[in-house]
Amino acid sequence: MTLDREELLRMYRTMVCVRQFETLAGEYFAAGKIPGFIHLSIGQEASSVGVCSALRSDDFLTTTHRGHGHLIAKGADLDRMVAELLGKRTGYCKGKGGSMHIADFALGILGANGVVAGGLPLAVGAGLSIKLRKTDQVVVSFFGDGASNRGPVHEAMNMAGIWRLPVIFCVENNGYASTTPVARACSVPDLALRAAGYGMPGVTVDGNDVLAVREAADQAVARARAGQGPTFLENKTYRIRGHFEGDPQKYREEAEVQAWRDKNDPLQRFAAVLRKGNVLTQDLQQGIWDEVEAQIGQALAFAEQSPYPEPKEALEDLLVNP
Amino acid sequence: MTLDREELLRMYRTMVCVRQFETLAGEYFAAGKIPGFIHLSIGQEASSVGVCSALRSDDFLTTTHRGHGHLIAKGADLDRMVAELLGKRTGYCKGKGGSMHIADFALGILGANGVVAGGLPLAVGAGLSIKLRKTDQVVVSFFGDGASNRGPVHEAMNMAGIWRLPVIFCVENNGYASTTPVARACSVPDLALRAAGYGMPGVTVDGNDVLAVREAADQAVARARAGQGPTFLENKTYRIRGHFEGDPQKYREEAEVQAWRDKNDPLQRFAAVLRKGNVLTQDLQQGIWDEVEAQIGQALAFAEQSPYPEPKEALEDLLVNP
Amino acid sequence: MAERRLSASAALAEALREEMTRDETIFILGEDLVSHSGIFGQFKGIPENFPGRIIDAPISETCVAGCGVGAGLTGMRPLVDFHFSDFVTCAMDELCNQAAKIRYMFGGQVKLPLVVWCPDGAGLRAAAQHSQSLEAWFVHTPGLKVVVPSEPADVKGLIKSSLRDDDPVMFFQHKRLFAKEGPVPEDADFIIPLGQAAIKRPGADLTFLTYGSGYHLCLQAAEELAAQDILAEIVDLRTLKPLDMETVAHSIQNTNRAVVVHEACVTGGFGAELAARIQVELFDYLDAPVLRVGAKDVPIPFSPVLEDYVLPSVAEVIEAARAVTYR
Amino acid sequence: MAERRLSASAALAEALREEMTRDETIFILGEDLVSHSGIFGQFKGIPENFPGRIIDAPISETCVAGCGVGAGLTGMRPLVDFHFSDFVTCAMDELCNQAAKIRYMFGGQVKLPLVVWCPDGAGLRAAAQHSQSLEAWFVHTPGLKVVVPSEPADVKGLIKSSLRDDDPVMFFQHKRLFAKEGPVPEDADFIIPLGQAAIKRPGADLTFLTYGSGYHLCLQAAEELAAQDILAEIVDLRTLKPLDMETVAHSIQNTNRAVVVHEACVTGGFGAELAARIQVELFDYLDAPVLRVGAKDVPIPFSPVLEDYVLPSVAEVIEAARAVTYR
Ligand SMILES: Cc1ncc(C[n+]2csc(CCOP(=O)(O)OP(=O)(O)O)c2C)c(N)n1
Ligand SMILES: Cc1ncc(C[n+]2csc(CCOP(=O)(O)OP(=O)(O)O)c2C)c(N)n1
Ligand SMILES: [Mg+2]
Ligand SMILES: [Mg+2]
């Protein structure tokens, strides 16, 4: 399936949006405006956008501690996202969640998760619910290379496998789990090799090539919608920022990061392709960056001007029937 | 490596011992002499004996709720085993454990486990301890086809894989997990297919052919002792008895059981091989059965005559320093 | 009209059949459910009458629990069967970090209808890993409701409210009580609201606060005590969270004495929470300390003599009653 | 001689270096330990000085805990780092069904030296899944010891006893207290026996029973109360299991009033157990009910205003002290 011009530009624009959002979040954190800790996905935009652009708004998604990109790519509201990062009442979770706990159930976003691999069993449950409700929705569960070694991943893939659930297991192999290089934690070079153990297709793609990711995602989504079951998709990418903002990063050389930043930036790569195909012009590109910058600037303003919750609101939202 | 006559006879004798132990345990349970519930391994003797006969007495073992055979094959004391099943003070655990919780740390038996797949992480820990203590011991962790779907199996295999620990993951695929046929619970036909996902060799063998199991076990043990890391061994076998004694077994046809009992009995098959090779004669075979019967009769007598613990003993053995 | 009597198992199955008929988003997920209608036969009639709505899962408690959460968040009302309550240990993240916190963490965006059905308790000579009573862990976890019925009618009334509730409910049913019979209303609309205790036996001298299997110990104890002119009132809490403190208070305001009885081991058990609240909220009414009767602080041993010694006994309940009444 | 002051982190690292030098069967297993000496820098100097004895594990809390059990059963003395105490939820079977029960189930055949080190507590704006205080679950699990130090010297003395102990120990150290400094003995043989509470501030009017971060709330409260002539005695429990009830009793026999303070949410927290015991064992000494101060019964929210409101405060501790002293 080939993508039309609008779609290609929409994808590029979304990637720019993720990049700018993360960049500004980093600056706000450095400026002490964001409490707690945040995990940025700069350098991984092709994965979030390549996969999510293949989804419908009624499809489901579970994401991780590094989930801003997935949320944006699935259509989350920037104002409410920033407000949540700042702990404001206008945030997605009224300030109760923060960066690691943003969800938008109206968009099928079942939530980021502070527990590594915590989202996969939930995704399988959503997949089972789809099967029981007899809809043609699909579920994507994002997780990292580090998460891939946790037990729930195994249980989730096996259950999705035997029941042929419409679940796409998308591992973003970004080279590190916190301080730990993937090779020191994972007993296989390509995580997609594990898919065979669950009778599902496993695909490893260049996770910084948004079109390659999109193509793999389209196939996985088509399979799932057709009731042919789950797919394991491994997007090989790289985490440009520290694990969390403020990470001393003694576990890697700056040169390694620099090499990825210079030679393998997903936005630059996609822009080059679009320019070559005359989809993108210098002006258009600049226009997109400016437009996104304005949009995010607006979100930041909205968030800054929003009030903090009242202390007593901490006692709300626990139960439907207390 | 070929096995000498003594070894072959020792293996046959052990299989007979497991068979008779389980048979009598079943009768005692039916007679109401064994409290709680017990899970018998009749029909799986080739797996326990084939694997354990490849081990040294200082090697480690973790087993399951269906562990009598593994214990006997590793050399456990029959008197103390029966006494434990009866809840007597002379039992392995002074009556605190029962059928599902027998261990003999002097023999490297780190315990049966009431939690399915509960033994695997412990086995990995023993493997790590071997590596840290720099000995050439190995660990075997038995588990079932049902257990293979639990998360700890995944975590354990990955850890053993990256650290090349001397652990042998031995799954006894006996066709069912309680009421559930393996095909309805496992997303792959051969569980050994999963080994590739951890960079370790995976072997599927005829689990009712004790010599085939032994050969595979010898290779796995050799690999482990040589520091070449873990092996995944799948013994395809069949559970002749119910999941537990008293199991209504509505999930399978008696004819299926009958077929395995008649055509694929591991003791009969091994006896035939030994007879053919003139290792076993009619008399010798009869002698072995009689001798084992006497030994088990003695164990039963010992257990029956042993006293129950005093109620207050329930408060002992919790902590070393209360 | 003669009261109809059912076993606790039958009461559960009847309630499920009624609710599953009423609401087709309800389904049951767990291990070994279909061929034997649950390993305790607790789902009798469900597999035949609701094919596809009672599902056998692989042995994957972690994912089974998470699956319940994911399905509950997306339009279904799952009942997850935990096989043995001891195995909640394999899904504490899904139950306590996910199910309990999701609605709160996400600012009340979503509701999570989910019933986690856990057969618990000892007495079956099933030893340390198949005999536990772990309700106290969940009482200490904000975001979960905790229900522990003692009699068949409570099972029916409470499982129905749990299934109709929009919050996650931990439902503990004692294995040894499945076969125990009692009167059960036939009315398909019979429900017992969560958070409502019941005074099951009136008495003026002391109050037994109990639930689950403890209730039956108290009943026996109360009868023996009555023969000694000590009249014990029995409050069956039924729901530990939300807790019906009002009924507890009324009873103690009359009796001025209380004994908490449960099967879980004493240290850190629910009795601690209850005693701690009572000695504050009813300080001026208490003529004696609130005593606790529960299992001794060891794992449940296998051998019958040992297990019987570790579990709370009628004798211990009576002794506690005598102590608080100074008789 | 001037007392040497260390941060809680430095005290931990020093104790570990001393013990690992003394006993080469000790090793550390957990996630992300080597390159940054633990994600909180809590193992400073260990990677350099004990190569191969501090091991980075994959993200596999279940197996990491089980690994600790298996290694502890086979001649090693593992310290397992849990990264964030919230993730004990991923290993409750290994901790509570295996580690806690193994010695008992097997009739005392074996000992299990194992320290499970859990950085816990809130205040870092880390939200619901990275801020919990879960010690009460383990107090309710026979077979485990539970240690919760509050000051650097306690950290050193208690981690050393824990590492020398032959039973599994859950060791909770508060994340917000890592950098807090205090005097720490240099003596390599300085240990604090498990089960020994400390009266850290004498007072005649009431007793604060506390541990971990609660201690620091009590200290501040005690100072403010002193200005109002209310003299609070502070008993830092340090070990919750085994519990030093003797020291608790002595203090209350003098003050006749007690307030339990901890960071965990109140309902079902350790304060319940303590209050329940005190109102029985010291019934005749109490001039007021035992009050509990702890977090409100919700998950820990992210936004600073909300988190601060949910966590116990010095003001609440003072209010409770006033209430029990009727002033
Ligand atoms: C169960 C669990 N263990 C540990 C952590 C702490 N932690 C948070 S993120 C992280 C690394 C995750 O690595 P990966 O899955 O590769 O995702 P990435 O950060 O690379 O996107 C760790 C160890 C956690 N949140 N949950
Ligand atoms: C974690 C856990 N879940 C469920 C059970 C209940 N249970 C005991 S044995 C068993 C079936 C195990 O099947 P399998 O692993 O194939 O071993 P087999 O019984 O066939 O030897 C189940 C479900 C358990 N003991 N532990
Ligand atoms: Mg990663
Ligand atoms: Mg099986």
Side-chain angles (χ1 to χ4, degrees):
Chain A
M1 153 202 186
T2 55
L3 307 167
D4 62 29
R5 188 167 178 288
E6 285 59 39
E7 177 66 4
L8 290 168
L9 288 175
R10 205 178 300 117
M11 287 167 68
Y12 179 70
R13 187 188 185 291
T14 309
M15 287 171 74
V16 171
C17 190
V18 173
R19 173 67 55 94
Q20 289 198 24
F21 181 96
E22 296 290 60
T23 306
L24 274 155
E27 287 169 16
Y28 262 57
F29 185 86
K33 291 181 177 176
I34 296 178
F37 39 98
I38 60 173
H39 309 82
L40 304 183
S41 63
I42 289 174
Q44 306 180 201
E45 297 87 351
S47 174
S48 49
V49 173
V51 172
C52 295
S53 63
L55 300 178
R56 291 193 322 224
S57 68
D58 68 336
D59 290 329
F60 296 115
L61 182 78
T62 71
T63 173
T64 71
H65 56 286
R66 199 176 305 286
H68 301 161
H70 307 129
L71 298 168
I72 293 170
K74 188 74 166 62
D77 179 76
L78 297 181
D79 294 9
R80 297 174 67 194
M81 277 182 72
V82 182
E84 189 58 37
L85 295 194
L86 269 56
K88 299 300 185 79
R89 175 196 269 145
T90 56
Y92 260 115
C93 313
K94 306 179 189 168
K96 291 190 168 80
S99 167
M100 269 193 301
H101 306 291
I102 297 182
D104 185 337
F105 289 85
L107 291 173
I109 299 169
L110 306 183
N113 212 306
V115 178
V116 161
L120 282 86
L122 276 56
V124 171
L128 179 60
S129 147
I130 288 169
K131 195 171 182 184
L132 291 168
R133 290 181 295 104
K134 303 191 174 54
T135 71
D136 70 344
Q137 294 161 287
V138 307
V139 190
V140 172
S141 188
F142 285 101
F143 57 108
D145 47 280
S148 72
N149 298 317
R150 283 205 60 226
V153 176
H154 175 65
E155 298 191 358
M157 287 177 69
N158 183 61
M159 277 170 95
I162 49 173
W163 295 336
R164 304 178 73 72
L165 299 179
V167 180
I168 295 156
F169 295 92
C170 182
V171 62
E172 294 182 315
N173 183 343
N174 62 2
Y176 294 88
S178 185
T179 69
T180 310
V182 62
R184 290 233 333 277
C186 300
S187 47
V188 276
D190 290 335
L191 293 166
L193 283 171
R194 289 181 175 165
Y198 308 94
M200 68 175 78
V203 200
T204 300
V205 305
D206 174 346
N208 284 15
D209 175 348
V210 70
L211 293 176
V213 173
R214 171 64 184 262
E215 191 183 347
D218 281 332
Q219 285 175 21
V221 168
R223 257 182 65 81
R225 286 211 206 286
Q228 291 164 349
T231 299
F232 185 92
L233 174 58
E234 177 182 22
N235 295 338
K236 285 228 163 120
T237 179
Y238 190 81
R239 163 163 61 75
I240 294 295
R241 303 287 306 176
H243 168 54
F244 54 91
E245 289 304 281
D247 180 357
Q249 304 183 59
K250 295 188 191 147
Y251 50 83
R252 65 180 180 183
E253 299 297 328
E254 173 55 26
E256 179 185 292
V257 184
Q258 198 57 51
W260 279 84
R261 206 189 277 110
D262 298 346
K263 303 192 192 60
N264 203 341
D265 181 281
L267 273 71
Q268 284 171 23
R269 284 178 62 184
F270 191 32
V273 171
L274 296 176
R275 296 282 282 274
K276 202 134 147 294
N278 299 319
V279 175
L280 194 65
T281 63
Q282 170 82 54
D283 294 356
L284 191 47
Q285 186 170 1
Q286 190 56 53
I288 290 173
W289 280 79
D290 296 344
E291 182 191 319
V292 168
E293 191 175 342
Q295 188 190 3
I296 290 177
Q298 195 183 41
L300 290 167
F302 168 83
E304 295 237 39
Q305 285 148 27
S306 295
Y308 283 102
E310 286 301 313
K312 279 197 161 32
E313 291 173 29
L315 305 183
E316 300 168 0
D317 300 321
L318 183 60
L319 298 167
V320 177
N321 318 304
Chain B
M1 154 203 181
T2 56
L3 307 166
D4 63 28
R5 188 167 180 287
E6 284 58 41
E7 178 65 5
L8 291 168
L9 288 174
R10 204 178 301 120
M11 287 168 67
Y12 179 69
R13 188 188 185 291
T14 309
M15 288 171 73
V16 172
C17 189
V18 173
R19 173 66 56 92
Q20 288 198 25
F21 181 96
E22 296 290 59
T23 306
L24 273 155
E27 288 169 14
Y28 262 58
F29 184 86
K33 291 181 178 176
I34 296 177
F37 39 96
I38 59 173
H39 309 81
L40 305 182
S41 63
I42 289 175
Q44 305 179 203
E45 298 87 350
S47 175
S48 50
V49 174
V51 172
C52 295
S53 63
L55 299 178
R56 289 193 322 224
S57 68
D58 67 336
D59 289 329
F60 296 116
L61 182 78
T62 70
T63 173
T64 70
H65 57 285
R66 200 176 305 287
H68 301 160
H70 307 129
L71 298 167
I72 292 170
K74 188 73 165 64
D77 178 77
L78 298 180
D79 295 8
R80 297 175 67 194
M81 279 182 70
V82 181
E84 190 58 38
L85 295 194
L86 270 54
K88 298 301 186 78
R89 175 195 271 146
T90 54
Y92 260 114
C93 313
K94 305 180 190 168
K96 291 191 168 80
S99 167
M100 270 193 302
H101 306 290
I102 296 181
D104 184 336
F105 290 84
L107 291 173
I109 299 169
L110 306 183
N113 212 307
V115 179
V116 162
L120 282 85
L122 277 55
V124 170
L128 179 60
S129 146
I130 289 169
K131 195 171 182 183
L132 292 167
R133 291 181 295 103
K134 302 188 172 55
T135 70
D136 71 343
Q137 295 161 285
V138 308
V139 191
V140 172
S141 188
F142 286 102
F143 57 107
D145 47 281
S148 72
N149 298 316
R150 283 205 59 225
V153 175
H154 175 64
E155 298 190 2
M157 287 178 67
N158 183 61
M159 279 170 97
I162 49 173
W163 295 336
R164 305 179 72 71
L165 300 179
V167 180
I168 295 155
F169 295 92
C170 183
V171 61
E172 293 182 315
N173 182 344
N174 62 3
Y176 294 88
S178 186
T179 69
T180 310
V182 61
R184 290 230 336 273
C186 300
S187 48
V188 274
D190 290 335
L191 294 167
L193 283 172
R194 289 181 176 166
Y198 308 94
M200 69 175 80
V203 200
T204 299
V205 305
D206 174 348
N208 283 15
D209 175 347
V210 71
L211 293 176
V213 172
R214 171 63 184 263
E215 191 183 346
D218 281 332
Q219 284 175 22
V221 169
R223 256 181 66 81
R225 285 212 206 287
Q228 292 163 345
T231 298
F232 186 92
L233 175 57
E234 177 183 25
N235 295 337
K236 286 227 163 122
T237 178
Y238 190 80
R239 165 165 59 72
I240 295 295
R241 304 287 307 176
H243 170 55
F244 55 90
E245 289 303 283
D247 180 358
Q249 300 182 62
K250 296 187 190 149
Y251 49 84
R252 65 180 179 183
E253 300 296 330
E254 171 55 26
E256 178 185 295
V257 184
Q258 198 56 52
W260 278 84
R261 207 189 276 108
D262 298 347
K263 304 193 192 60
N264 204 340
D265 181 277
L267 273 73
Q268 282 171 25
R269 285 179 61 183
F270 191 32
V273 172
L274 296 176
R275 294 282 282 274
K276 201 132 151 292
N278 299 317
V279 174
L280 194 67
T281 63
Q282 169 82 51
D283 295 356
L284 191 47
Q285 189 171 358
Q286 190 57 51
I288 290 173
W289 280 77
D290 297 345
E291 184 191 319
V292 168
E293 191 176 341
Q295 189 190 1
I296 289 177
Q298 196 183 38
L300 291 166
F302 168 83
E304 295 236 39
Q305 287 148 25
S306 295
Y308 283 102
E310 286 301 313
K312 282 200 159 31
E313 289 173 31
L315 304 183
E316 299 168 5
D317 301 321
L318 182 60
L319 298 167
V320 177
N321 317 304
Chain C
M1 157 201 141
E3 264 181 336
R4 180 196 53 162
R5 295 177 65 80
L6 288 182
S7 71
S9 285
L12 177 73
E14 177 172 277
L16 283 165
R17 288 195 305 271
E18 289 169 1
E19 293 304 299
M20 289 176 81
T21 304
R22 204 181 55 79
D23 180 345
E24 58 178 28
T25 64
I26 297 173
F27 72 100
I28 305 174
L29 178 66
E31 295 156 20
D32 304 302
L33 303 180
V34 175
S35 59
H36 294 168
S37 302
I39 59 171
F40 305 103
Q42 69 271 30
F43 299 129
K44 202 148 180 303
I46 309 278
E48 307 85 293
N49 296 306
F50 303 94
R53 291 176 60 188
I54 176 164
I55 303 170
D56 281 345
I59 306 175
S60 302
E61 285 75 13
T62 310
C63 197
V64 164
C67 223
V69 176
L73 290 173
T74 54
M76 303 300 290
R77 291 187 166 270
L79 179 142
V80 166
D81 170 305
F82 247 88
H83 216 78
F84 282 84
S85 74
D86 307 72
F87 309 139
V88 294
T89 52
C90 303
M92 290 299 279
D93 178 60
E94 288 62 33
L95 299 173
C96 300
N97 282 342
Q98 311 294 339
K101 297 177 169 54
I102 275 180
R103 177 176 173 81
Y104 186 83
M105 286 190 300
F106 297 139
Q109 272 186 65
V110 71
K111 64 178 163 65
L112 175 54
L114 170 67
V115 177
V116 180
W117 186 83
C118 305
D120 72 346
L124 301 181
R125 318 320 187 186
Q129 294 173 334
H130 287 74
S131 306
Q132 296 170 84
S133 298
L134 299 171
E135 64 279 0
W137 286 356
F138 302 98
V139 168
H140 189 48
T141 306
L144 297 177
K145 292 174 176 174
V146 181
V147 178
V148 192
S150 63
E151 297 186 288
D154 301 313
V155 170
K156 179 174 180 178
L158 290 166
I159 196 72
K160 286 165 77 84
S161 322
S162 301
L163 285 164
R164 296 179 188 193
D165 201 78
D166 283 333
D167 298 311
V169 176
M170 298 296 300
F171 194 97
F172 294 95
Q173 196 171 335
H174 200 292
K175 300 193 286 287
R176 224 177 54 250
L177 299 177
F178 286 139
K180 208 165 167 58
E181 296 197 341
V184 178
E186 306 203 25
D187 178 2
D189 285 326
F190 164 71
I191 66 148
I192 298 172
L194 302 188
Q196 212 173 81
I199 296 183
K200 291 198 170 171
R201 179 186 175 113
D205 299 334
L206 79 147
T207 302
F208 283 134
L209 301 165
T210 188
Y211 56 92
S213 63
Y215 168 70
H216 301 280
L217 291 177
C218 293
L219 201 60
Q220 242 184 294
E223 272 155 26
E224 297 188 26
L225 286 163
Q228 303 156 34
D229 296 324
I230 300 177
L231 305 179
E233 177 151 292
I234 303 180
V235 176
D236 185 344
L237 299 170
R238 303 196 295 198
T239 305
L240 306 188
K241 207 171 183 180
L243 179 67
D244 180 358
M245 199 60 192
E246 215 172 289
T247 301
V248 171
H250 281 131
S251 178
I252 293 174
Q253 281 157 6
N254 294 333
T255 63
N256 311 109
R257 295 163 160 80
V259 174
V260 189
V261 180
H262 57 55
E263 188 177 303
C265 64
V266 170
T267 300
F270 183 72
E273 173 61 25
L274 205 49
R277 278 191 69 171
I278 292 167
Q279 59 91 36
V280 173
E281 299 173 30
L282 297 153
F283 189 71
D284 300 331
Y285 290 94
L286 288 177
D287 292 345
V290 180
L291 295 187
R292 295 179 286 165
V293 177
K296 298 179 177 58
D297 283 319
V298 291
I300 303 299
F302 163 70
S303 192
V305 281
L306 300 177
E307 182 175 37
D308 295 342
Y309 177 74
V310 167
L311 295 176
S313 65
V314 172
E316 289 167 321
V317 175
I318 289 173
E319 193 189 324
R322 283 243 192 66
V324 296
T325 51
Y326 304 107
R327 293 159 64 176
Chain D
M1 159 200 138
E3 266 179 331
R4 181 194 53 158
R5 295 177 65 81
L6 289 181
S7 71
S9 285
L12 177 73
E14 176 172 279
L16 283 164
R17 287 195 304 270
E18 289 169 2
E19 293 304 300
M20 289 176 81
T21 304
R22 205 182 54 78
D23 180 345
E24 58 178 28
T25 65
I26 297 172
F27 73 99
I28 305 174
L29 178 66
E31 295 156 20
D32 304 302
L33 303 180
V34 175
S35 59
H36 293 169
S37 303
I39 58 170
F40 305 103
Q42 70 271 31
F43 300 128
K44 202 148 182 300
I46 310 275
E48 308 84 297
N49 296 304
F50 303 94
R53 291 176 61 189
I54 177 164
I55 302 170
D56 281 346
I59 305 175
S60 302
E61 285 75 13
T62 310
C63 197
V64 164
C67 224
V69 176
L73 290 173
T74 55
M76 301 301 290
R77 290 186 165 273
L79 179 143
V80 166
D81 171 303
F82 247 87
H83 217 77
F84 281 84
S85 74
D86 308 72
F87 309 140
V88 295
T89 51
C90 304
M92 290 298 279
D93 178 59
E94 288 62 34
L95 298 174
C96 299
N97 282 341
Q98 311 293 339
K101 295 175 171 57
I102 275 180
R103 177 178 172 79
Y104 186 83
M105 284 191 301
F106 297 139
Q109 271 184 68
V110 72
K111 63 177 166 58
L112 175 54
L114 171 67
V115 177
V116 180
W117 186 82
C118 305
D120 73 346
L124 301 182
R125 317 322 186 184
Q129 295 173 333
H130 287 75
S131 305
Q132 296 170 84
S133 298
L134 299 171
E135 64 280 359
W137 287 355
F138 302 98
V139 168
H140 189 48
T141 306
L144 297 176
K145 292 173 176 174
V146 181
V147 178
V148 193
S150 63
E151 297 187 289
D154 301 312
V155 170
K156 178 173 180 179
L158 290 165
I159 195 72
K160 286 165 77 84
S161 313
S162 301
L163 285 163
R164 295 180 190 193
D165 200 79
D166 284 333
D167 298 310
V169 176
M170 297 297 300
F171 194 98
F172 295 95
Q173 196 172 334
H174 200 291
K175 299 193 288 289
R176 224 178 52 250
L177 299 177
F178 286 137
K180 208 166 168 58
E181 296 199 340
V184 178
E186 307 204 24
D187 177 3
D189 285 327
F190 163 72
I191 66 149
I192 297 171
L194 302 187
Q196 214 173 80
I199 296 183
K200 291 197 168 171
R201 180 186 175 112
D205 299 333
L206 79 147
T207 301
F208 283 135
L209 300 165
T210 188
Y211 56 91
S213 62
Y215 167 71
H216 301 279
L217 291 177
C218 292
L219 201 58
Q220 245 183 289
E223 272 156 24
E224 299 189 25
L225 286 163
Q228 302 156 34
D229 295 324
I230 300 177
L231 305 179
E233 177 151 293
I234 302 180
V235 176
D236 184 344
L237 299 168
R238 302 197 295 199
T239 306
L240 306 188
K241 207 169 184 179
L243 179 67
D244 181 359
M245 200 58 192
E246 216 172 288
T247 300
V248 171
H250 281 130
S251 177
I252 293 175
Q253 280 157 7
N254 294 333
T255 63
N256 310 111
R257 297 163 156 80
V259 174
V260 190
V261 179
H262 57 54
E263 188 177 303
C265 65
V266 170
T267 299
F270 183 72
E273 173 61 25
L274 205 49
R277 278 190 70 172
I278 292 167
Q279 59 92 35
V280 174
E281 297 172 31
L282 297 154
F283 189 71
D284 300 331
Y285 291 94
L286 287 176
D287 292 343
V290 181
L291 295 188
R292 294 180 286 165
V293 177
K296 299 181 175 58
D297 283 319
V298 291
I300 303 298
F302 163 70
S303 193
V305 280
L306 300 176
E307 182 175 39
D308 294 343
Y309 176 74
V310 167
L311 294 177
S313 66
V314 172
E316 290 167 320
V317 174
I318 289 172
E319 192 188 325
R322 284 244 191 65
V324 295
T325 51
Y326 305 107
R327 293 160 63 176

